Amino acid sequence: GPSTRPDTRGTRARRAHASAEGRRRRPELISTAESERLAADARALVPPELRARMDADNLMIIIEAEPSDEDRLNGIDRHVLGFFQGSGCEPTFTSLTYPKRVVLLQHNIERWSRSYAELVDPVTDTGLHEVAHYFGMSHDDIDKTRLRH
């Protein structure tokens, strides 16, 4: 299954199942606004008591086209579909733990999708997967749950 690559700042990355090397960049399948709507739909699948905890902690779920140079310097593989960055749902605010964010990488998700219909599941699954990391779950923990929609 996917592997985790934590760095010293608590970043965890989900690796794609296969390399996107050599694949050509296609035109966007959807707009960033539509990607954000899909991410919001995935967030809505999180139980209300957990969403309240995410809101209280200001967990951001954002869409980026590609991992930034800084993300890659921090150990994020350029092929991941998304990643969680932060130290998890700790109640104490420190400058070292913020911003806590789930980042969904639009271009990487699009590379694995041939159509809009094929794009919805990876956005939802990746969003839920990374939120699970926020709550401290490992890949083994996630595999034992019903996080998939």
Side-chain angles (χ1 to χ4, degrees), residues 96-111:
L96 298 175
T97 60
Y98 276 72
K100 294 179 185 182
R101 62 189 190 138
V102 167
V103 180
L104 302 179
L105 299 167
Q106 182 172 342
H107 292 172
N108 290 358
I109 291 170
E110 288 177 344
R111 284 185 187 101

Side-chain angles (χ1 to χ4, degrees), residues 17 24 30 32 66:
H17 292 284
R24 287 192 177 159
I30 62 172
T32 299
E66 303 278 344

Side-chain angles (χ1 to χ4, degrees), residues 83-142:
F83 60 94
F84 166 69
Q85 184 176 43
S87 61
C89 55
E90 298 168 353
T92 307
F93 172 83
T94 71
S95 60
L96 298 175
T97 60
Y98 276 72
K100 294 179 185 182
R101 62 189 190 138
V102 167
V103 180
L104 302 179
L105 299 167
Q106 182 172 342
H107 292 172
N108 290 358
I109 291 170
E110 288 177 344
R111 284 185 187 101
W112 295 106
S113 307
R114 293 176 294 208
S115 67
Y116 176 84
E118 285 186 10
L119 187 115
V120 175
D121 286 344
V123 169
T124 302
D125 291 344
T126 303
L128 291 175
H129 178 100
E130 300 307 333
V131 166
H133 284 313
Y134 163 75
F135 283 107
M137 295 178 75
S138 69
H139 284 107
D140 288 339
D141 295 334
I142 293 167

Side-chain angles (χ1 to χ4, degrees), residues 42-95:
R43 185 185 178 286
L45 296 172
V46 175
E49 63 276 8
L50 297 179
R51 275 197 321 268
R53 198 164 164 190
M54 293 163 54
D55 291 343
D57 204 21
N58 295 316
L59 177 68
M60 299 184 297
I61 300 177
I62 62 172
I63 306 295
E64 291 184 357
E66 303 278 344
S68 69
D69 290 340
E70 182 178 346
D71 292 334
R72 291 205 308 263
L73 287 173
N74 287 326
I76 300 299
D77 185 295
R78 67 184 176 135
H79 302 296
V80 297
L81 303 182
F83 60 94
F84 166 69
Q85 184 176 43
S87 61
C89 55
E90 298 168 353
T92 307
F93 172 83
T94 71
S95 60

